[in-house]
């Protein structure tokens, strides 16, 4: 439990679940290497499983984890143009080792203080997933993390059509077995007290990636109907031969996973403004609220590291430095540029934005 003045579902709550790790090292180089490796692991989780692109970077001194010498972060861009810190990895130096008297015996038999790391992600990633992909129709889940990847809605035969019912049941069993045979998570919605249209609406709202419809006419024609929740051609129904259901579904879900990532990546790329003066950023952010879509996004600008000026920008714009991106700062793009706020020689490329 923790105290939160203003809670947001999944993002900032008084009770949450997290994954956290700590390591102790003999050298500072080993600890930094481990902290960077965990940042890559978290970025891979977001991009490969959640189809959510992130910016990898490190925090400004005022935004670092208390006691850390360096805080690495992954920042995602939500559909409203606000950033969301989605995971952090900290190089703690020897501060925590000294505070808790954590020592090891080196090769020479001398007792030394360890160099530490700490890293974690939490259920905040669920909120990130929801806000990255979902739409006005409800939840959109990337197939790799969807609890139910395929929902099959059988359309019953007429009451007195026993032969049609038997053929439908047989085809349904074969279809489901084929899908499960390639490792897909399948749910059959055979509730007889609900209309088919209501079922379609429910599963669409819950974000199930693929809906398959199968009725007596489909069985007779040797086909069924596919309807994907999102991605290319998701507005259209597709007719698939029953013999090809498993392979088509497997391939289609993988395409949907990739398409979600491509769409989110394009949104991230378009959502980062460059070459912006401070006055322009301030004016753009004046009326920027969480409920406005697509919002103004983030700003990648040359910056001279200065905590006092950083605080002034927070006060004036309600924007913070989300990170110093690893790619741009590794390439030292800031060299020869002036800080967009102070006019002094820049020391970093900084990513500013409003954030949850």
């Amino acid at each position: 439990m923790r105290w939160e003045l203003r809670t947001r579902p999944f993002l900032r709550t008084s009770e949450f679940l997290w994954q956290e790790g700590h390591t102790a090292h003999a050298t500072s180089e080993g600890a930094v290497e481990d902290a960077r490796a965990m940042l890559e692991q978290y970025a891979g989780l977001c991009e490969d499983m959640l189809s959510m692109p992130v910016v990898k970077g490190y925090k400004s001194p005022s935004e670092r984890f208390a006691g850390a010498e360096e805080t690495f972060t992954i920042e995602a861009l939500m559909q409203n143009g606000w950033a969301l810190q989605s995971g952090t990895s900290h190089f703690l130096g020897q501060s925590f080792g000294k505070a808790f008297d954590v020592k090891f015996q080196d090769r020479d038999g001398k007792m030394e203080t360890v160099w530490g790391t700490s890293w974690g992600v939490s259920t905040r990633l669920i909120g990130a997933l929801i806000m990255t992909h979902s739409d006005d129709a409800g939840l959109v889940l990337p197939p790799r993390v969807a609890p139910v990847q395929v929902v099959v809605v059988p359309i019953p035969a007429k009451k007195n059509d026993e032969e049609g019912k038997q053929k439908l049941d047989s085809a349904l069993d074969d279809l489901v077995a084929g899908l499960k045979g390639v490792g897909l998570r399948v749910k059959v919605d055979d509730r007889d007290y609900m209309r088919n249209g209501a079922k379609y609406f429910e599963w669409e709202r819950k974000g199930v990636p693929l809906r398959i419809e199968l009725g007596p006419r489909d069985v007779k024609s040797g086909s069924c109907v596919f309807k994907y929740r999102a991605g290319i051609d998701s507005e259209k129904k597709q007719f698939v031969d029953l013999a090809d259901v498993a392979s088509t579904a497997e391939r289609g879900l993988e395409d949907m996973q990739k398409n979600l990532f491509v769409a989110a990546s394009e949104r991230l790329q378009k959502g980062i403004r460059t070459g912006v003066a401070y006055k322009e950023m301030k004016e753009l952010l004046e009326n920027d609220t969480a409920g406005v879509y697509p919002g103004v996004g983030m700003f990648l600008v040359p910056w001279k590291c200065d905590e006092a000026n950083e605080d002034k920008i927070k006060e004036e714009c309600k924007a913070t430095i989300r990170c110093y991106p690893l790619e741009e700062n590794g390439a030292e793009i800031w060299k020869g540029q002036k800080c967009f706020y102070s006019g002094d020689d820049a020391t970093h490329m900084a990513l500013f934005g409003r954030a949850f």
Side-chain angles (χ1 to χ4, degrees), residues 178-193:
L179 292 169
K180 290 184 176 180
V182 295
L184 297 178
R185 298 182 288 275
V186 185
K187 166 74 176 177
V188 177
D189 188 350
D190 55 2
R191 291 174 290 179
D192 57 6
Y193 55 85

Side-chain angles (χ1 to χ4, degrees), residues 110-348:
K110 185 180 178 181
M111 298 301 293
E112 298 284 359
T113 301
V114 301
W115 299 82
T117 74
S118 174
W119 24 268
V121 292
S122 74
T123 45
R124 166 175 281 216
L125 285 178
I126 299 175
L129 172 69
I130 293 169
M131 293 194 294
T132 297
H133 301 301
S134 299
D135 55 26
D136 290 343
L139 191 61
V140 174
L141 293 175
R144 290 179 189 170
V145 295
V148 176
Q149 295 171 305
V150 183
V151 61
V152 182
V153 180
I155 301 170
K158 294 181 179 179
K159 288 185 178 180
N160 298 324
D161 186 3
E162 289 300 324
E163 182 181 358
K165 183 178 182 303
Q166 290 176 4
K167 288 182 177 180
L168 175 61
D169 289 345
S170 177
L172 178 63
D173 290 342
D174 290 343
L175 184 147
V176 172
L179 292 169
K180 290 184 176 180
V182 295
L184 297 178
R185 298 182 288 275
V186 185
K187 166 74 176 177
V188 177
D189 188 350
D190 55 2
R191 291 174 290 179
D192 57 6
Y193 55 85
M194 184 178 287
R195 293 179 180 272
N196 291 328
K199 293 179 183 180
Y200 301 161
F201 175 72
E202 178 181 324
W203 293 112
E204 183 177 33
R205 188 177 58 198
K206 289 181 176 180
V208 173
L210 173 60
R211 183 181 79 235
I212 297 179
E213 303 164 20
L214 181 68
R217 291 182 182 178
D218 301 308
V219 174
K220 190 174 182 179
S221 66
S223 66
C224 62
V225 176
F226 273 34
K227 178 67 167 62
Y228 289 96
R229 178 63 179 86
I232 299 173
D233 293 330
S234 60
E235 296 300 317
K236 303 176 183 177
K237 290 187 176 184
Q238 302 174 23
F239 294 90
V240 178
D241 288 345
L242 291 176
D244 299 328
V245 165
S247 60
T248 303
E250 192 175 24
R251 185 171 58 252
L253 291 173
E254 190 58 31
D255 286 344
M256 178 182 168
Q257 182 86 24
K258 293 175 183 176
N259 291 335
L260 287 174
F261 182 73
V262 168
S265 296
E266 290 175 352
R267 189 163 56 245
L268 174 62
Q269 186 177 14
K270 292 177 181 177
I272 297 178
R273 299 170 187 251
T274 58
V276 177
Y278 176 66
K279 181 181 179 182
E280 183 182 354
M281 184 181 88
K282 184 179 178 182
E283 290 174 352
L284 286 167
L285 289 172
E286 278 181 355
N287 299 314
D288 188 41
T289 61
V292 175
Y293 291 77
V296 300
M298 298 189 287
F299 303 83
L300 182 63
V301 294
W303 168 254
K304 180 184 178 182
C305 186
D306 186 307
E307 187 172 344
N309 285 342
E310 194 174 341
D311 288 340
K312 290 177 184 176
I313 292 175
K314 288 180 187 177
E315 181 67 27
E316 294 170 5
C317 299
K318 296 181 181 179
T320 56
I321 294 178
R322 302 315 309 151
C323 69
Y324 296 148
L326 292 175
E327 182 178 348
E328 286 78 8
N329 285 281
E332 298 184 333
I333 293 175
W334 47 267
K335 279 192 172 181
Q337 298 197 59
K338 298 295 183 180
C339 174
F340 90 130
Y341 186 79
S342 68
D344 296 331
D345 290 342
T347 59
H348 297 83

